[in-house]
Amino acid sequence: MKNEKKGMTNRVVKNSVWIISERLIQAAISFFIQVATINYMEPESWGVISYCTAFVNVFLSLSALGLEYVVIKELTANPNEKDEIMGSALLMRLLSGILSVFCMLFLVGLTRDFRSFDLFIALLISLQLLFRLSDLIDFYFQSRLESKHVSIAKGITYAIVACWKIYIIITAKSEPYFAFSYTLDAMVICLILIYLYFKEARPRLRFSAVWCRRMLHQSKHFILASMITMVYSEMDRLMLGNLCSDTEIAVYTTAYGIAMVWVFIPNAIMTSYRPAIMEGHASGTNYLERVRTLYSIIIWIGIAAGIGVMLFGGWFFKTFYRSEYMASVPSLYLLIWSTLFSHLAVARSTWLVCEGLNRYSELFPIWGALVNLGLNALLIPRMGAAGASLATLVTQIAVTMIAPLFYRATRPSVGHMVQAFFAKDLLERIKGLRR
């Protein structure tokens, strides 16, 4: 048993190292490119691109069909049927991506009076939805704790896209070139992952209507949940775009981008722990210890990030950004703390799957959407980007810590998070997993 625990911990650690290494490269490249891009573009133009990106993120959650947790779970439980599972999931994802592109273009046109410039920007950004089926190949490698393949692919992609953006800045290209960068990113990584997938797995993909129905039946809760979650996550930028100016969107988006720079670390840890927690639940081995350990790591990494931003955020903007973006500092101070609670909510999703409580994945985002809508309507007209940021923070706290208390089945998750707050427990759990 001790050897089994140690083996699982070593696999999780090694997998996390690969993911963190890849995303550390991404963060470093993205930081310099983002600073150069934002300082190059006018706030109004950056605001238009950010507005369209918000719509893409909403439809990305819809086109994903909630397959993330389902595909990993089914591949782990049914390795002999991986070709039917992957073939069916890939086809579903492609069709949903095509539909999402058309729906997004219609909505952007509707909210922007069908202005040709805005529609062209939206089209260039939305095409990435067709290539995001590569996420399913990422899930395949996650289920096998072989994320090094994805890390290599993403590292190559970031280098290519970085070169593209540097070329744009040096040659003083217009906004559509920047907009296409989002699709170029998705397209390159899709092609590389498809190549690696066929090289390593040698699949014989097959479509199965039975597997489609089975996966959609399991993921139906996550489809709505992901859609609602993304709506309230992007509601700030969407409402800023309709209640304020594009400049306010740019101010908020710039702060949000900096607040999200560090999140590759908790995302990598959650990605690696997800199969370990599911395996622990299936075998009855160290299940809740793994859940609480994950919560503890996320909490204390989030606290460290929050303190760092509070100390150096103002200096950072003053040093690296043009003066117009100093207005982003108050938003940054609020948004950095919202990331802590949002990652705890994401981590809880794995616990909900294991406990068979998928339906609550729909209820909690509804809470978030209602709270966020009300707060945005109240605060954005008065405070602009800072009001949207405050609404985001309060919403994440409500969804993560308050909403679960209203349901008996989910109250233990809040208790686990409170217990995980204590650093001593974190050290003891890590030692326990390694013994």
Side-chain angles (χ1 to χ4, degrees):
M1 182 65 70
K2 291 182 179 179
N3 290 334
E4 182 180 346
K5 289 181 182 179
K6 185 176 180 180
M8 174 55 68
T9 302
N10 289 337
R11 291 169 64 198
V12 170
V13 170
K14 289 179 181 178
N15 201 60
S16 297
V17 167
W18 271 105
I19 299 174
I20 291 175
S21 298
E22 165 258 314
R23 290 178 187 173
L24 184 60
I25 295 172
Q26 175 196 11
I29 295 174
S30 296
F31 167 74
F32 292 107
I33 297 299
Q34 183 186 41
V35 170
T37 300
I38 293 174
N39 286 328
Y40 172 80
M41 297 180 67
E42 292 299 321
E44 293 81 3
S45 299
W46 179 232
V48 172
I49 291 177
S50 299
Y51 182 76
C52 294
T53 302
F55 268 106
V56 168
N57 290 336
V58 170
F59 279 99
L60 181 60
S61 65
L62 178 62
S63 65
L65 299 176
L67 293 174
E68 178 176 358
Y69 297 98
V70 174
V71 168
I72 292 176
K73 179 182 177 182
E74 293 296 349
L75 287 173
T76 302
N78 304 282
N80 294 330
E81 299 184 66
K82 63 181 185 299
D83 290 338
E84 288 86 354
I85 295 172
M86 288 296 294
S88 303
L90 286 168
L91 181 59
M92 287 192 294
R93 187 67 186 269
L94 178 61
L95 294 176
S96 65
I98 294 172
L99 179 61
S100 295
V101 169
F102 285 104
C103 291
M104 179 196 151
L105 291 175
F106 174 75
L107 287 179
V108 170
L110 198 63
T111 58
R112 290 277 167 152
D113 298 323
F114 290 95
R115 292 196 294 265
S116 58
F117 176 77
D118 290 26
L119 282 173
F120 186 46
I121 294 294
L123 174 63
L124 291 174
I125 296 176
S126 68
L127 290 176
Q128 66 180 288
L129 294 170
L130 304 180
F131 298 102
R132 290 301 295 268
L133 57 83
S134 63
D135 291 343
L136 294 171
I137 301 176
D138 188 348
F139 302 154
Y140 170 81
F141 286 125
Q142 285 183 36
S143 71
R144 299 172 60 85
L145 289 177
E146 295 178 351
S147 293
K148 66 178 182 180
H149 301 295
V150 182
S151 300
I152 292 170
K154 289 184 177 180
I156 295 171
T157 300
Y158 298 140
I160 292 174
V161 175
C163 291
W164 168 257
K165 290 183 178 179
I166 291 171
Y167 164 75
I168 292 172
I169 294 171
I170 291 175
T171 56
K173 297 297 184 182
S174 59
E175 291 85 353
Y177 287 86
F178 287 99
F180 180 69
S181 299
Y182 294 91
T183 293
L184 179 65
D185 188 309
M187 181 174 64
V188 173
I189 196 168
C190 181
L191 295 175
I192 295 175
L193 281 180
I194 288 175
Y195 169 77
L196 290 174
Y197 174 58
F198 278 90
K199 179 182 177 182
E200 297 295 328
R202 300 185 182 279
R204 295 182 178 179
L205 298 177
R206 293 184 291 274
F207 173 78
S208 169
V210 173
W211 271 109
C212 282
R213 288 193 296 269
R214 177 170 172 172
M215 287 189 286
L216 285 175
H217 177 73
Q218 294 181 68
S219 68
K220 62 184 179 183
H221 298 288
F222 292 106
I223 296 174
L224 180 59
S226 297
M227 184 70 177
I228 296 174
T229 299
M230 194 54 67
V231 165
Y232 84 72
S233 296
E234 298 296 339
M235 190 180 296
D236 306 310
R237 285 193 285 183
L238 295 176
M239 293 185 70
L240 279 169
N242 289 281
L243 297 176
C244 297
S245 65
D246 288 332
T247 299
E248 284 296 314
I249 305 176
V251 167
Y252 176 86
T253 301
T254 302
Y256 185 83
I258 299 301
M260 298 299 288
V261 164
W262 74 282
V263 303
F264 67 90
I265 298 176
N267 283 339
I269 294 170
M270 286 188 290
T271 296
S272 294
Y273 253 93
R274 188 178 299 130
I277 290 173
M278 289 180 172
E279 183 176 322
H281 179 264
S283 63
T285 305
N286 221 26
Y287 164 56
L288 288 180
E289 287 300 305
R290 292 173 182 174
V291 171
R292 285 192 287 264
T293 299
L294 178 59
Y295 290 161
S296 293
I297 294 172
I298 291 172
I299 288 171
W300 286 99
I301 291 177
I303 290 174
I307 293 173
V309 166
M310 297 295 288
L311 291 175
F312 301 107
W315 168 85
F316 176 85
F317 269 90
K318 187 178 296 184
T319 303
F320 292 102
Y321 285 96
R322 54 200 285 183
S323 59
E324 294 95 321
Y325 289 103
M326 282 300 295
S328 298
V329 174
S331 293
L332 176 62
Y333 290 158
L334 294 167
L335 290 171
I336 190 63
W337 294 108
S338 73
T339 60
L340 189 159
F341 293 98
S342 67
H343 281 98
L344 281 175
V346 173
R348 182 180 56 209
S349 297
T350 303
W351 179 81
L352 292 174
V353 171
C354 292
E355 297 292 326
L357 301 174
N358 294 7
R359 67 188 185 92
Y360 292 98
S361 296
E362 294 177 359
L363 293 176
F364 296 152
I366 292 174
W367 275 71
L370 294 175
V371 172
N372 197 242
L373 177 62
L375 290 175
N376 275 331
L378 179 66
L379 297 175
I380 285 178
R382 293 172 172 81
M383 301 170 61
S389 304
L390 179 57
T392 297
L393 174 58
V394 175
T395 298
Q396 295 295 352
I397 294 173
V399 170
T400 306
M401 306 300 296
I402 298 176
L405 295 176
F406 285 83
Y407 308 98
R408 180 179 299 177
T410 58
R411 285 173 195 161
S413 69
V414 179
H416 296 154
M417 292 177 186
V418 173
Q419 294 170 17
F421 175 79
F422 299 99
K424 179 181 177 182
D425 290 348
L426 170 60
L427 297 176
E428 289 179 353
R429 289 188 191 107
I430 291 176
K431 290 177 181 178
L433 284 172
R434 299 185 69 174
R435 281 198 293 267

